[in-house]
Amino acid sequence: MRKKSLTLLSDGYLFRRENTIYFENARGKKPLAIEGIYDIYIYGKVSISSQALHYLAQKGIAVHFFNHYGYYDGSFYPRESLHSGYLVVNQVEHYLDKDKRLELAKLFVIGGIKNMEWNLSKFKNKTKFDSYIEELDNCNKITEVMNVEGRVRTEYYRLWDETLPDDFKIVKRTRRPPKNEMNALISFLNSRLYPAIITELYNTQLTPTVSYLHEPHERRFSLALDLSEIFKPMIADRLANRLVKQNIIQKKHFRDDLNGVLLNKEGMKVVLEHFNKEMDKTVHHPKLKKNVSKRRLIRLEAYKLVKHLVRQKRYEPLVAWF
Amino acid sequence: MENYLEEELIIRGIEINYLYVCKTKLWYFVRGITMEQESDFVDLGKFLHEKSYFGEEKEVQIGSIKIDFIKKRDIIEIHEIKKGKVMEKAHIMQALYYIYYLNKLGMKAKAILHYPKLKEIKEIELKENDKEEIKRAIKEIEHIKSLKEPPEPVYQKICKNCAYYELCFI
Ligand code: SF4
């Protein structure tokens, strides 16, 4: 059985009876086949029994929680079971050594830039960001790298906007709370993507708290933020683009709140359905000579990082070819 | 038997096996970079220690290798059931290591490899020159452990079914 991510949107109760996990809500009680669950994403108001948590921990299944607005709150996941002190030491060494850290930080940003470029070409804009990549070459500080990244992003949103329908202009990419629909949609997707990356990191010996582009104290799992540079354009932006251009997501899927514009319940449902499908979609991997899901691409990126850290092969960020 | 000795029996057995299968795999394994299914070893040492098992047949799983122990008089028989001979050398060396190790602890042992698909059986006893090879193998494992960088993966047929495939060839 191929394992799938489980999304719980409705309110309910998650509990364990014997060797089965049940989800009970207003519509009834449903058994969940634990062997088929990869990880769990909870958007509704869900109570979980400690017995269910024990069982999920035993099976190595992470549970990610989202707040009322659909934003990531935090994760419950089993005690780390895969350890490599050696890798931890190498990860930290690459953080402490200024040049090694800069190299990785730049590579993450380059990956992000190339994927933004690729998106634009898909949206029928041939702009190249070569000059920014050259600029990166001369950066000596992480803040300078961040600065280049920020400017590329601004330019990217501006160019992307030219292709978007009037109702869904990004205009100015605002953070929380989003002031318009497209911002709300992108933020919601990014917020779903981040814990998916955490799940993948959890399944490796990498320590998710030691990062290179982002400061390790910025947020708990800052290495997931580093990797999201590559996967935000590749997965979240492209999906957002498709959802509005194909009219799958419309104005009616949003609501106004004191906190800005937000997806409503129905909107979240549609977006999450498409997101899950997207993550399970496979592409042929030319190097591995087999099909891999988009979700697996995240794991492969983690493996590439492992190889960089043990000096087997320099990290080369994934650039979409599909 | 001290605890660390039991551990050595299990870990070294796998390391000897990996040495003959793939050095890249061995390097990653000894650095704690393991892949999902590789982590649960049954405590073979404990089994050997518990008197109640003696005289009985008991299945023991070490990594991907299944072992039946039968105590016959003074000799411990190590039975391993194998699918095929692709990694025969690795299996033989691993079995020899177990015998070597048990000998060092004052137990007599021999090993029997079963190839049910091929309807074959292979008996293994530890000879003088095997001891030398085991010692050499242990030295080489130490050497690979000390390498700063993992040995470059070299594609071979078994890679396709190896848990490290994605790590090696991405
Ligand atoms: S995939 Fe091949 S090269 Fe890599 S560890 Fe396995 S056997 Fe060795």
Side-chain angles (χ1 to χ4, degrees):
Chain A
M1 189 178 353
R2 234 189 48 243
K3 294 186 178 192
K4 296 213 167 210
S5 292
L6 177 72
T7 309
L8 299 177
L9 258 174
S10 60
D11 303 347
Y13 179 41
L14 200 63
F15 62 99
R16 172 190 182 177
R17 189 138 302 152
E18 316 263 283
N19 280 333
T20 311
I21 296 274
Y22 290 91
F23 182 60
E24 187 170 11
N25 63 11
R27 273 179 294 153
K29 193 165 80 180
K30 213 175 117 187
L32 307 171
I34 194 135
E35 306 304 336
I37 302 174
Y38 192 68
D39 52 3
I40 303 180
Y41 296 80
I42 296 186
Y43 286 84
K45 289 191 204 95
V46 174
S47 311
I48 307 184
S49 77
S50 66
Q51 286 312 306
L53 282 178
H54 281 307
Y55 197 43
L56 292 166
Q58 228 179 64
K59 297 281 175 186
I61 298 170
V63 189
H64 304 295
F65 296 92
F66 297 80
N67 68 16
H68 180 60
Y69 305 108
Y71 293 116
Y72 175 69
D73 255 350
S75 303
F76 163 83
Y77 68 50
R79 230 170 343 119
E80 297 276 352
S81 63
L82 306 164
H83 292 289
S84 169
Y86 177 78
L87 193 62
V88 177
V89 169
N90 279 261
Q91 240 185 291
V92 173
E93 183 216 329
H94 278 76
Y95 170 79
L96 291 174
D97 183 313
K98 184 177 162 258
D99 292 336
K100 288 185 178 148
R101 180 181 175 190
L102 256 180
E103 183 189 12
L104 277 172
K106 285 179 189 178
L107 287 170
F108 286 124
V109 171
I110 289 172
I113 293 177
K114 294 239 162 111
N115 281 298
M116 286 189 251
E117 243 177 36
W118 179 253
N119 281 2
L120 289 178
S121 77
K122 288 238 156 191
F123 310 156
K124 309 237 169 350
N125 182 309
K126 291 204 173 63
T127 304
K128 290 275 174 227
F129 292 137
D130 291 347
S131 63
Y132 291 104
I133 293 179
E134 274 165 35
E135 250 187 83
L136 272 182
D137 247 3
N138 301 320
C139 292
N140 287 312
K141 285 199 197 105
I142 297 291
T143 46
E144 291 167 17
V145 175
M146 280 284 201
N147 181 285
V148 174
E149 195 273 337
R151 281 185 290 123
V152 177
R153 198 166 284 275
T154 308
E155 179 69 358
Y156 162 71
Y157 285 128
R158 192 183 65 75
L159 295 166
W160 182 8
D161 244 4
E162 290 173 5
T163 77
L164 284 168
D166 280 347
D167 278 356
F168 288 95
K169 295 282 186 211
I170 310 165
V171 193
K172 191 171 180 299
R173 173 103 177 93
T174 53
R175 304 226 173 220
R176 286 181 212 187
K179 294 280 189 289
N180 65 43
E181 285 78 3
M182 200 57 184
N183 275 293
L185 179 57
I186 294 170
S187 294
F188 179 82
L189 280 166
N190 287 342
S191 204
R192 170 63 181 73
L193 179 64
Y194 171 66
I197 299 175
I198 292 173
T199 294
E200 294 310 321
L201 288 175
Y202 173 70
N203 282 298
T204 70
Q205 281 87 11
L206 287 164
T207 303
T209 45
V210 178
S211 54
Y212 305 99
L213 177 62
H214 296 83
E215 284 296 339
H217 51 77
E218 238 175 80
R219 266 194 236 173
R220 261 201 83 191
F221 300 120
S222 40
L223 188 60
L225 289 179
D226 282 5
L227 285 179
S228 72
E229 290 296 318
I230 287 150
F231 292 99
K232 266 158 50 173
M234 182 183 302
I235 292 175
D237 294 356
R238 273 165 72 174
L239 184 57
N241 187 69
R242 197 167 77 227
L243 289 175
V244 299
K245 283 186 184 156
Q246 294 183 0
N247 235 359
I248 297 165
I249 281 293
Q250 301 160 14
K251 281 264 178 195
K252 65 171 191 202
H253 290 117
F254 296 87
R255 64 191 168 95
D256 263 317
D257 189 282
L258 280 179
N259 286 291
V261 177
L262 295 160
L263 279 162
N264 59 27
K265 260 257 136 81
E266 180 59 23
M268 285 190 200
K269 193 173 161 221
V270 175
V271 174
L272 288 171
E273 263 168 29
H274 279 85
F275 182 88
N276 287 334
K277 255 196 236 151
E278 183 67 23
M279 291 292 266
D280 283 334
K281 255 190 216 154
T282 61
V283 291
H284 185 78
H285 201 291
K287 264 206 193 123
L288 297 178
K289 300 189 176 50
K290 64 172 186 176
N291 288 339
V292 294
S293 66
K294 302 226 168 138
R295 183 169 70 181
R296 194 69 182 177
L297 287 174
I298 301 172
R299 176 81 66 91
L300 295 177
E301 211 58 12
Y303 287 160
K304 277 153 68 177
L305 199 55
V306 170
K307 288 172 82 167
H308 180 95
L309 296 170
V310 303
R311 301 173 189 81
Q312 179 158 67
K313 195 173 172 191
R314 184 171 186 255
Y315 174 65
E316 247 179 73
L318 166 67
V319 181
W321 66 87
F322 39 84
Chain B
M1 217 188 298
E2 298 293 330
N3 252 338
Y4 68 88
L5 286 178
E6 297 169 5
E7 198 127 285
E8 191 185 354
L9 178 56
I10 292 163
I11 296 296
R12 268 282 160 72
I14 288 174
E15 289 175 356
I16 300 261
N17 181 303
Y18 284 3
L19 177 69
Y20 290 92
V21 170
C22 172
K23 296 193 165 79
T24 312
K25 186 170 174 166
L26 173 63
W27 191 92
Y28 276 114
F29 178 80
V30 298
R31 300 278 160 147
I33 299 168
T34 55
M35 293 289 140
E36 285 105 303
Q37 58 274 50
E38 229 102 4
S39 47
D40 36 13
F41 315 131
V42 162
D43 203 332
L44 175 63
K46 200 187 265 164
F47 161 76
L48 283 172
H49 215 39
E50 282 178 28
K51 295 218 169 46
S52 57
Y53 287 133
F54 277 79
E56 282 173 34
E57 235 176 77
K58 173 87 179 161
E59 192 178 74
V60 180
Q61 177 105 21
I62 307 175
S64 56
I65 292 132
K66 242 189 213 158
I67 298 185
D68 291 334
F69 275 86
I70 311 167
K71 171 97 156 70
K72 268 192 189 165
R73 289 177 218 103
D74 289 334
I75 286 198
I76 294 172
E77 278 184 13
I78 300 171
H79 290 258
E80 301 189 9
I81 298 160
K82 304 293 178 202
K83 281 200 197 112
K85 287 194 165 177
V86 181
M87 296 188 240
E88 193 183 16
K89 177 76 178 167
H91 295 148
I92 291 172
M93 290 311 296
Q94 186 172 11
L96 284 173
Y97 174 74
Y98 290 141
I99 303 171
Y100 170 83
Y101 194 90
L102 293 171
N103 283 175
K104 275 216 309 199
L105 298 173
M107 292 179 243
K108 282 187 189 158
K110 66 173 179 179
I112 295 150
L113 302 181
H114 298 257
Y115 299 94
K117 274 193 191 154
L118 307 168
K119 297 203 174 74
E120 268 181 51
I121 277 179
K122 191 178 184 96
E123 272 212 35
I124 294 172
E125 276 173 73
L126 187 72
K127 309 247 168 58
E128 237 6 84
N129 55 338
D130 296 328
K131 282 186 198 160
E132 291 312 308
E133 185 161 3
I134 299 250
K135 282 183 199 153
R136 270 202 305 279
I138 290 172
K139 269 215 186 96
E140 202 179 345
I141 290 169
E142 295 306 335
H143 170 68
I144 291 170
K145 276 188 185 182
S146 73
L147 293 178
K148 290 245 155 50
E149 292 158 26
E152 196 59 32
V154 180
Y155 187 83
Q156 36 176 345
K157 256 200 191 141
I158 54 164
C159 291
K160 254 196 213 123
N161 296 314
C162 176
Y164 287 78
Y165 174 75
E166 288 177 329
L167 177 68
C168 284
F169 296 102
I170 183 67

